[in-house]
């Protein structure tokens, strides 16, 4: 009887320490090293896995301050060629229990950037399935750049319009004074209207309309 | 240029009077050859004229080469739905250009140069009852000018936004929780979102106006002031502006062609462009669209060309001008289409690669295979192998079908094409802001040079009709016209503005042009008299137009235009009118949903298409009634 109890205790102990995929406390990790680094991709081997476990331990230490996590607290299983695997975190205080998903998730979120940098990867190439990456908000400058461009263009165009209008007014004034001087001298009027503006309708044709009988 | 020796003998007796409608009083309304020579010499001080021939040709080229080539042409090719081969559109376009475009072009050039007036003046001189045709041209030019400048406003908005890195259409904004991107952007694409949401803030139907979108008002203000400064002094400012606006696009197109050809997949696009497909050639819709596009792209029936050629010296060789312009327009259309399709090919290839990449990642993740197991090269076999070994798993995955043909002919339908397809291609090029600035400056120049001609065709008739007091100088007339136009275009600054632009483009820019063109050719040949016209041309350039012109003017061109017009009206009247909307809640999102127009739109369609087309008979009728009333009063007096 006692032996059975001992075996059961031993078995549960072992079970608690064996990593299983799809366990409630387990996360799947996927690395896309070749996509991220191309030619400079490093090969995934046990040393890299050791680094991963160390980085995770570092993240857990930062999150649960006081508890000194070690590489042995991080259990890894089901490694594949894809470079994906499952991991679980054992508690420091109670080696038979596992840390809950929420704590693991928060720890990873806090130290995500450090974890990525350790492997020269990004949020998209080092995926923790189930943990959404916090997206960097797009850079929004203080003054919208389009306003600046608009201001420049409108300024130039406005200046041009003012120039043309002023020039036209000045020209007209000059002609008026010229005409007045000519009249004062008694010169005969020009047949053609003195104004040299474009688009003045030639009046010689419109007279013909009176003749037309329809 | 040698002057014909028999010009001094002006007789009203023309040896062979073919079918010509009676037109009494014509001799009094138009100056005979001697008088017009003398007037030309005297007029040298009064009437505006071109600084040099190059300025005239550049203005006409700028007028003809416009957004129609880069924006409307590609989207017309794909507007039939399904896989449409643009090569099928190119051939009818070129054929109709020769049979319909060039004869009408010479007609407008010669009549303007001979009678030395704008569009209203010319038709009024031929017969005062026909003044309505000039009014039609003016209305059409005005309506087209309104929405054309709205597109220029969109271009300006994009141009202003191109001076930043990364470009604003490269990224989606985050949603409120910052856990993901805005749903609308996520489901469609960053460029779609930037165009439909950020730029236009589109509502989901034409009836839902949704208020004014302020960025659009600002852009419209910029657009109208820019065109104002170009036209402020008529052709003396416009003629200088075209040195830049007409020439720059060619250089930019060349740069894009070189850049485009070096992009991956560009040749796919070019091959796609030049694939002739016989079935499409038989489709009457293709010929319809090609015919209307010839009118639209040549600026025929807009009235601007008549006005421009009236500023020419009397003995300018307008026949050569017509031929040069036709050749240049045709060549530029093909050239611009090629550049457009290298970019489309590049974009299609990029999308195809992305599609395959996505599928590869899905497969690798599902089966936990090593990263280099499936590449683009062995994707097909790997997929087949996996599908045959684990069919259930594969079915459960989200594998998309990647079809290159589909991407090439993909319905980026409607006026958004240039803003969506090109901007997407640009963000995939290195140094994107530079390419974006270059591209939108080119579009701006293309738009401006056409608008200059369009508003020539509005302002000159307004003066001829004495709408403004004669004492008002050109600056004030232009200013008032553009201010009125700006206020009207606030219609397009609403949230439903995009749908209004499409409406205007479909109806104001198609049927009225065909009607006016038909009337023009019939009037010159059968009311003015083609014999008299031939003599005029002989007087101006020294030789009578040859057999090609005679045949096309008398039979071929009017017949083609009539056939296209009838077919067009029949097909439009048959179906229910539908339009495409951007509706995030629709089933096919992000594809545009096809929705029928509300009933009140039919009234608007009649205003846009019917009023300009019917202005000629309506005016003639009014004049008849007015004269009858006057005669009655006169007889009653005695």
């Amino acid at each position: 009887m006692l032996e059975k109890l001992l075996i059961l205790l031993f078995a549960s102990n072992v079970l608690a320490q064996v990593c299983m995929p799809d366990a409630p406390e387990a996360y799947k990790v996927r690395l896309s090293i070749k996509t991220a680094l191309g030619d400079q991709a490093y090969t995934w081997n046990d040393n890299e896995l050791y680094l991963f476990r160390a980085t995770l331990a570092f993240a857990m230490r930062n999150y649960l301050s006081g508890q000194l996590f070690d590489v042995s607290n991080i259990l890894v299983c089901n490694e594949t060629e894809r470079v994906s695997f499952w991991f679980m975190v054992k508690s420091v205080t109670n080696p038979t229990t596992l840390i809950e998903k929420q704590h693991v998730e928060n720890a990873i979120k806090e130290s995500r950037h450090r974890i990525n940098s350790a492997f020269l990867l990004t949020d998209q190439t080092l995926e923790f399935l189930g943990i959404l990456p916090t997206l960097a908000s797009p850079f929004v400058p203080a003054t919208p750049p389009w306003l600046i461009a608009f201001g420049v263009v409108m300024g130039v165009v406005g200046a041009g319009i003012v120039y043309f209008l002023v020039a036209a007014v000045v020209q007209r004034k000059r002609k008026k004074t010229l005409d007045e001087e000519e009249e004062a001298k008694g010169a005969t009027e020009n047949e053609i209207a003195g104004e040299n503006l474009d688009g003045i309708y030639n009046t010689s044709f419109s007279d013909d309309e009176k003749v037309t009988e329809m | 240029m040698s002057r014909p020796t028999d010009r001094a003998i002006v007789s009203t007796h023309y040896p062979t009077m073919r079918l010509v409608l009676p037109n009494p009083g014509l001799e009094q309304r138009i100056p005979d050859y001697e008088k017009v020579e003398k007037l030309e010499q005297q007029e040298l001080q009064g009437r505006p004229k071109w600084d040099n021939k190059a300025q005239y040709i550049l203005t006409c080229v700028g007028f003809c080469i416009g957004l129609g080539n880069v924006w409307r042409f590609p989207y017309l090719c794909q507007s039939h739905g399904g896989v449409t081969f643009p090569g099928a559109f190119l051939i009818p376009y070129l054929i109709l250009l020769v049979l319909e475009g060039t004869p009408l072009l010479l007609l407008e050039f010669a009549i303007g140069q001979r009678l030395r007036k704008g569009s209203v003046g010319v038709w009024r001189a031929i017969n005062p009852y026909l003044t309505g045709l000039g009014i039609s041209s003016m209305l059409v030019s005005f309506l087209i000018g309104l929405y054309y400048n709205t597109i220029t406003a969109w271009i300006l908005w994009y141009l202003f936004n191109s001076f930043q890195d990364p470009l604003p259409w490269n990224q989606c904004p985050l949603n409120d929780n910052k856990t993901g991107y805005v749903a609308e952007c996520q489901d469609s694409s960053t460029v779609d979102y930037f165009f439909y949401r950020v730029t236009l803030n589109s509502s989901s139907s034409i009836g839902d106006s949704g208020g004014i979108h302020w960025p659009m008002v600002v852009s419209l203000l910029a657009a109208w002031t820019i065109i104002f400064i170009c036209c402020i002094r008529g052709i003396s400012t416009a003629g200088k502006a075209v040195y830049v606006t007409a020439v720059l696009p060619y250089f930019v197109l060349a740069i894009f062609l070189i850049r485009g050809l070096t992009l991956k997949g560009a040749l796919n696009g070019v091959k796609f462009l030049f694939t002739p497909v016989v079935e499409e050639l038989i489709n009457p819709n293709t010929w319809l669209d090609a015919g209307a596009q010839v009118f639209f792209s040549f600026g025929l029936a807009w009235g601007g060309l008549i006005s421009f050629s009236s500023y020419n010296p009397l003995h300018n060789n307008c026949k050569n001008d017509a031929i040069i312009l036709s050749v240049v327009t045709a060549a530029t259309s093909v050239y611009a289409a090629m550049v457009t399709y290298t970019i489309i090919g590049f974009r299609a290839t990029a999308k195809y690669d992305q599609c395959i990449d996505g599928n590869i990642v899905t497969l690798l993740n599902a089966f936990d295979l090593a990263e280099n197991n499936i590449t683009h090269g062995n994707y097909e076999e790997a997929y087949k192998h996996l599908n045959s070994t684990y069919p259930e798993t594969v079915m459960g995955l989200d594998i998309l079908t990647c079809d290159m043909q589909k991407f090439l002919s993909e319905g980026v339908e409607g006026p958004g094409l240039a803003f969506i397809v090109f901007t997407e291609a640009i963000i995939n090029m290195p140094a994107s802001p530079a390419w974006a600035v270059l591209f939108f400056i080119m579009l701006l120049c293309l738009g401006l040079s056409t608008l200059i001609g369009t508003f020539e065709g509005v302002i000159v008739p307004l003066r001829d009709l004495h709408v403004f007091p004669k004492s008002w100088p050109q600056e004030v007339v232009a200013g008032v016209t553009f201010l009125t136009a700006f206020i009207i275009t606030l219609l397009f600054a609403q949230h439903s503005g995009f749908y209004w632009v499409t409406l205007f483009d479909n109806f104001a820019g198609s049927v009225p042009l065909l009607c006016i063109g038909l009337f023009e050719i019939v009037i010159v040949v059968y009311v003015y008299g083609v014999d008299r016209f031939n003599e005029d041309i002989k007087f101006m350039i020294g030789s009578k137009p040859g057999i090609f012109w005679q045949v096309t003017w008398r039979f071929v061109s009017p017949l083609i235009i009539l056939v296209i017009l009838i077919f067009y009206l029949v097909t439009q009247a048959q179906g229910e009118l539908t339009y495409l909307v951007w509706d995030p809640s629709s089933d096919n999102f992000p594809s545009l949903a096809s929705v029928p127009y509300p009933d009140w739109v039919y009234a608007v369609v009649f205003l846009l298409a019917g009023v300009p087309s019917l202005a000629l008979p309506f005016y003639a009728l009014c004049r008849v009634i007015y004269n009858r009333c006057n005669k009655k009063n006169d007889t009653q007096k005695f």
Side-chain angles (χ1 to χ4, degrees):
Chain A
M1 183 66 180
L2 203 60
E3 290 157 10
K4 280 191 192 153
L5 269 170
L6 277 171
I7 292 171
L8 268 170
L9 270 170
F10 185 66
S12 59
N13 237 348
V14 169
L15 273 172
Q17 298 194 23
V18 167
C19 146
M20 281 187 326
D22 294 323
E25 298 91 358
Y27 268 108
K28 183 170 182 180
V29 182
R30 193 186 291 146
L31 290 94
S32 313
I33 308 172
K34 296 213 176 72
T35 317
L37 301 169
D39 289 332
Q40 299 176 342
Y42 47 82
T43 30
W44 186 260
N45 52 29
D46 285 333
N47 296 340
E48 303 284 348
L49 189 60
Y50 189 86
L51 177 60
F52 181 82
R53 294 164 74 194
T55 334
L56 265 182
F58 162 77
M60 293 305 300
R61 280 196 188 199
N62 274 347
Y63 180 65
L64 298 170
S65 50
Q67 299 190 34
L68 296 174
F69 284 86
D70 197 11
V71 177
S72 52
N73 293 97
I74 316 291
L75 307 168
V76 171
C77 53
N78 277 49
E79 281 182 68
T80 64
E81 274 189 321
R82 174 71 180 81
V83 194
S84 69
F85 48 85
W86 290 83
F87 75 90
M88 298 196 294
V89 184
K90 255 190 327 184
S91 165
V92 168
T93 46
N94 194 349
T96 48
T97 51
L98 300 164
I99 305 281
E100 286 145 26
K101 252 193 161 171
Q102 193 53 48
H103 292 308
V104 177
E105 177 168 341
N106 295 346
I108 292 173
K109 272 193 180 156
E110 263 183 35
S111 312
R112 188 69 187 260
H113 183 60
R114 299 294 300 273
I115 301 175
N116 287 349
S117 318
F119 292 93
L120 308 173
L121 296 173
T122 65
D123 278 358
Q124 282 75 38
T125 38
L126 172 54
E127 297 169 75
F128 289 88
L129 297 190
I131 303 180
L132 298 168
T134 40
L135 300 163
S137 46
F139 170 66
V140 177
T143 7
W146 68 265
L147 209 55
I148 302 172
F150 170 72
V152 167
V153 168
M154 287 302 279
V156 168
V157 170
I161 291 177
V162 165
Y163 163 73
F164 276 117
L165 290 175
V166 166
V169 167
V170 164
Q171 219 178 26
R172 216 153 292 143
K173 273 205 191 124
R174 235 183 260 156
K175 283 213 188 89
K176 255 197 208 146
T177 47
L178 265 173
D179 279 348
E180 280 165 14
E181 280 175 21
E182 278 187 32
E183 277 189 44
K185 286 184 193 164
T188 48
E189 268 185 0
N190 236 341
E191 243 188 330
I192 301 160
E195 293 166 285
N196 207 1
L197 291 173
D198 305 324
I200 290 293
Y201 184 70
N202 190 321
T203 51
S204 59
F205 292 153
S206 56
D207 286 334
D208 290 342
E209 273 176 58
K210 292 182 200 154
V211 178
T212 309
E213 285 171 314
M214 270 293 140
Chain B
M1 233 164 292
S2 62
R3 304 220 175 149
T5 47
D6 59 352
R7 64 164 173 87
I9 307 162
V10 176
S11 66
T12 53
H13 168 67
Y14 287 88
T16 46
M17 284 300 241
R18 311 252 173 89
L19 172 67
V20 175
L21 297 170
N23 193 3
L26 185 64
E27 306 296 323
Q28 283 88 27
R29 287 193 296 275
I30 61 177
D32 59 19
Y33 295 155
E34 266 179 12
K35 197 171 172 195
V36 80
E37 291 257 27
K38 220 191 306 172
L39 277 167
E40 198 210 351
Q41 266 133 30
Q42 288 177 344
E43 258 190 325
L44 252 106
Q45 310 221 288
R47 195 167 173 78
K49 66 185 197 69
W50 300 106
D51 289 346
N52 50 52
K53 183 73 183 278
Q55 203 183 54
Y56 165 62
I57 293 284
L58 275 181
T59 310
C60 289
V61 167
F63 186 30
C64 294
I65 304 298
L67 294 178
N69 300 79
V70 176
W71 158 79
R72 203 176 196 250
F73 184 83
Y75 104 73
L76 271 184
C77 291
Q78 298 182 342
S79 68
H80 300 154
V83 177
T84 313
F85 288 89
F89 187 78
L90 213 54
I91 297 173
Y93 176 75
L94 291 175
I95 293 178
L96 288 177
L97 193 139
V98 169
L99 293 178
E100 178 196 17
T102 314
L104 215 55
L105 198 61
L106 177 58
L107 193 124
E108 291 205 356
F109 278 168
I111 202 83
Q113 197 171 297
R114 167 70 178 89
L115 297 179
R116 336 272 313 142
K117 299 209 200 151
S119 63
V120 163
V122 156
W123 307 117
R124 181 163 50 193
I126 293 182
N127 192 316
Y129 281 103
L130 302 175
T131 316
L133 192 60
I135 299 176
S136 296
S137 285
M138 179 186 75
L139 287 174
V140 163
S141 287
F142 186 65
L143 291 173
I144 293 182
L146 289 178
Y147 80 84
Y148 212 86
N149 210 21
T150 309
I151 297 170
T152 310
W154 297 348
I155 292 170
L156 275 173
W157 167 259
Y158 269 82
L159 179 62
F160 293 152
N161 272 295
S162 302
F163 290 100
Q164 47 185 303
D165 190 16
L167 293 167
W169 55 85
N170 199 4
Q171 45 200 345
C172 277
L174 295 178
N175 62 15
D176 295 322
N177 320 3
K178 301 216 181 211
T179 51
Y181 298 117
V182 171
E184 195 180 349
C185 192
Q186 185 87 343
D187 292 334
S188 56
S189 73
T190 54
V191 283
D192 280 317
Y193 182 79
F194 188 77
F195 181 63
Y196 288 109
R197 187 56 53 214
V198 178
T199 309
L200 299 173
N201 203 1
S202 296
S203 62
S204 54
S205 85
I206 194 170
D208 180 12
S209 96
I212 303 274
H213 188 51
W214 286 103
M216 267 301 106
V217 177
V218 162
S219 309
L220 278 170
L221 184 66
W224 286 111
T225 41
I226 292 179
I227 190 72
F228 176 48
I229 200 179
C230 287
C231 292
I232 196 167
R233 288 248 183 102
I235 63 165
S236 65
T237 41
K240 311 279 189 307
V242 292
Y243 283 124
V244 173
T245 60
V247 173
L248 187 74
Y250 283 96
F251 284 112
V252 176
L253 277 174
I255 297 174
F256 266 97
L257 185 66
I258 297 172
R259 172 75 254 219
L261 287 174
T262 59
L263 292 171
K264 180 179 177 209
L267 291 174
N268 285 337
V270 177
K271 251 189 285 171
F272 183 65
L273 173 66
F274 289 119
T275 328
V277 175
V278 184
E279 302 87 53
E280 286 291 331
L281 287 175
I282 306 177
N283 181 6
N285 269 328
T286 319
W287 291 87
L288 230 82
D289 278 334
Q293 178 66 3
V294 167
F295 265 85
F296 190 90
S297 68
F298 258 132
L300 292 169
W302 296 34
L305 289 174
I306 299 182
S307 212
F308 283 151
S309 62
S310 71
Y311 305 136
N312 270 332
L314 185 61
H315 294 284
N316 173 53
N317 193 334
C318 44
K319 190 163 77 169
N320 280 354
D321 292 344
I323 295 176
I324 291 173
L325 200 62
S326 305
V327 169
V328 168
T329 306
T332 313
S333 291
V334 176
Y335 176 51
M338 258 181 65
V339 175
T340 307
Y341 275 85
T342 56
I343 309 246
I344 288 183
F346 165 67
R347 173 184 170 270
T349 310
K351 284 199 125 152
Y352 179 76
D353 284 346
Q354 267 172 20
C355 180
I356 299 273
D357 278 340
N359 286 350
I360 289 178
V361 167
T362 319
L363 285 174
L364 287 178
N365 288 349
F367 293 103
D368 280 322
L369 304 164
E371 274 181 281
N372 281 349
N373 233 341
I374 309 182
T375 59
H376 282 245
N378 64 1
Y379 169 73
E380 285 295 316
E381 305 128 46
Y383 177 69
K384 277 198 206 117
H385 171 74
L386 286 169
N387 204 5
S388 51
T389 23
Y390 308 99
E392 305 87 38
T393 336
V394 171
M395 271 223 299
L397 298 170
D398 205 6
I399 302 280
L400 306 161
T401 34
C402 303
D403 182 5
M404 179 61 115
Q405 287 294 86
K406 182 171 157 284
F407 286 129
L408 276 172
S409 65
E410 190 160 53
V412 179
E413 296 131 315
L417 182 138
F419 297 97
I420 294 177
V421 170
F422 280 91
T423 46
E424 193 167 16
I426 284 173
I427 54 180
N428 286 326
M429 296 185 203
S432 346
W435 292 109
V437 169
L438 208 58
F439 177 67
F440 288 113
I441 285 186
M442 172 184 79
L443 285 189
L444 183 68
C445 288
L446 286 172
L448 276 180
S449 55
T450 307
L451 278 168
I452 288 173
T454 311
F455 280 101
E456 175 75 17
V458 171
I459 293 179
V460 170
L462 282 176
R463 292 194 84 109
D464 286 352
L465 291 170
H466 309 306
V467 170
F468 298 109
K470 271 196 200 150
S471 59
W472 283 17
Q474 173 75 1
E475 290 89 347
V476 177
V477 171
V480 169
T481 314
F482 289 128
L483 187 64
T484 319
F486 169 63
I487 292 171
I488 298 179
T489 46
L490 290 178
L491 172 74
F492 299 126
Q494 293 172 62
H495 292 179
S496 53
F498 177 72
Y499 309 125
W500 283 97
V501 169
T502 322
L503 184 69
F504 269 62
D505 186 42
N506 283 343
F507 295 106
S510 56
V511 170
L513 291 177
L514 293 169
C515 277
I516 294 173
L518 184 63
F519 285 142
E520 279 187 5
I521 237 187
V522 163
I523 287 171
V524 169
V525 170
Y526 298 109
V527 176
Y528 186 71
V530 70
D531 293 313
R532 181 191 293 270
F533 193 57
N534 286 334
E535 290 293 323
D536 285 343
I537 295 183
K538 188 166 173 188
F539 163 65
M540 290 194 290
I541 69 176
S543 63
K544 201 172 130 172
I547 187 82
F548 166 74
W549 306 100
Q550 304 303 324
V551 171
T552 46
W553 281 338
R554 281 173 231 243
F555 311 114
V556 177
S557 301
L559 199 63
I560 290 179
I561 300 174
L562 190 64
V563 165
I564 292 179
L565 193 58
I566 292 178
F567 257 111
Y568 189 86
L569 289 171
V570 165
T571 45
Q572 286 294 331
Q574 274 178 346
E576 196 186 24
L577 292 176
T578 61
Y579 68 118
L580 299 166
V581 295
W582 174 261
D583 189 0
S585 59
S586 81
D587 296 327
N588 292 345
F589 190 75
S591 296
L592 298 174
S594 182
V595 170
Y597 274 121
D599 289 331
W600 54 268
V601 169
Y602 289 89
V604 177
V605 167
F606 176 74
L607 275 176
L608 290 176
V611 166
S613 313
L614 298 174
L616 171 63
F618 184 71
Y619 180 88
L621 198 65
C622 283
R623 203 183 174 103
V624 164
I625 296 174
Y626 180 75
N627 281 343
R628 285 259 171 82
C629 290
N630 269 357
K631 268 202 193 131
K632 270 201 200 136
N633 287 343
D634 283 343
T635 49
Q636 276 171 2
K637 275 182 200 164
F638 295 109

